[in-house]
Amino acid sequence: MKKHMKKITWFYMQGCPYCRNGEKAFAEILTEHPEYKDIPIQKVDERKEVAFADAHDYYYVPTLYLDEEKAYECSPQDSFNDIKQHFKEVLAKAFE
């Protein structure tokens, strides 16, 4: 029986170094946890989907929502390891 997973909405911006770290962290996490590949993820480029992005409460990217609740918002002091740890926590919650 397939389990119900929470949906992740991932807000990002093209060219953002923190978003690149998020992509790299996500790829590493999927290698470590291939079961996460089935989690439904909607990636939203905030410059292309402005109205949708504006309807959500965040300032920095990457930002991850779990269903309709903000689960992680990157901040300028977040290192790659910080971002990876937060992504890992959100993916684990989505998979519960």
Side-chain angles (χ1 to χ4, degrees), residues 4-70:
H4 172 74
M5 291 175 252
K6 292 181 181 171
K7 175 187 169 195
I8 293 174
T9 305
W10 176 346
F11 293 94
Y12 72 96
M13 187 171 60
Q14 206 68 36
C16 163
Y18 299 97
C19 296
R20 278 196 296 275
N21 280 339
E23 291 285 351
K24 182 180 174 200
F26 181 67
E28 287 183 11
I29 294 165
L30 284 186
T31 301
E32 298 163 7
H33 297 277
E35 66 275 16
Y36 291 172
K37 72 177 176 36
D38 292 329
I39 296 171
I41 298 176
Q42 176 185 8
K43 290 184 76 177
V44 179
D45 182 334
E46 67 171 22
R47 288 187 178 155
K48 292 182 179 165
E49 297 182 57
V50 177
F52 184 73
D54 284 350
H56 292 78
D57 181 28
Y58 72 94
Y59 186 77
Y60 295 110
V61 286
T63 290
L64 303 178
Y65 273 74
L66 201 49
D67 285 340
E68 296 302 315
E69 188 174 315
K70 183 169 33 174

